[in-house]
Amino acid sequence: MPIVTARPRDEWGRAILELWNGFEQSVRVKDIFAGLGESGPRKPLLDAEMDLPAGGPPQTIDVTEKLLQLLVPTAQEKLEVRERNIQISLQLEPDPPHQPPPAIYRVVFEGKRILEFTSK
């Protein structure tokens, strides 16, 4: 199926998204949104639009700071391990056929350090 996928990974306390283009043509990523549920507030994760060439290497984005703003909205950093499920959606142009709906990701964090960032 021709789709663009966002694969999460954690690396040295950071949350990284790898964007892979499986579509037969280049795709422009207009925005990436994260939210704490379907109806909750959504936070943009992308600072600028980016092009994903067809069949090219993945593009990586460090989304740590923006995720932490969503997960820890106050200035208080509690040094306890917490876990949240978030929903991430991609806004693409053109929108490839068979593009999956927004996906659920699991984030485990302590203060401002990401311990785990995985697909649910």
Side-chain angles (χ1 to χ4, degrees):
M1 255 187 219
I3 57 174
V4 175
T5 57
R7 297 180 188 161
R9 75 172 197 256
D10 51 271
E11 187 175 283
W12 302 98
R14 311 293 295 172
I16 308 295
L17 267 183
E18 286 183 349
L19 300 176
W20 294 79
N21 184 2
F23 193 44
E24 65 267 2
Q25 69 184 59
S26 292
V27 173
R28 185 160 195 78
V29 181
K30 303 285 279 178
D31 218 329
I32 302 172
F33 294 101
L36 296 174
E38 290 183 30
S39 60
R42 297 179 348 144
K43 174 110 180 120
L45 299 181
L46 193 61
D47 289 325
E49 295 180 1
M50 71 169 35
D51 291 318
L52 289 177
Q59 299 289 325
T60 59
I61 305 165
D62 185 332
V63 295
T64 308
E65 299 306 319
K66 299 204 184 236
L67 276 183
L68 288 172
Q69 290 171 11
L70 177 70
L71 299 169
V72 188
T74 65
Q76 294 180 352
E77 294 178 41
K78 296 181 180 178
L79 292 179
E80 60 189 44
V81 175
R82 292 182 280 171
E83 176 183 333
R84 295 296 299 262
N85 290 329
I86 61 167
Q87 183 178 36
I88 293 180
S89 60
L90 305 175
Q91 182 183 4
L92 306 171
E93 187 178 277
D95 195 13
H98 311 295
Q99 182 65 24
I104 303 295
Y105 298 84
R106 179 174 172 257
V107 182
V108 178
F109 58 103
E110 180 179 31
K112 291 197 177 244
R113 189 167 159 253
I114 302 294
L115 303 175
E116 200 173 320
F117 183 42
T118 57
S119 296
K120 190 85 168 134

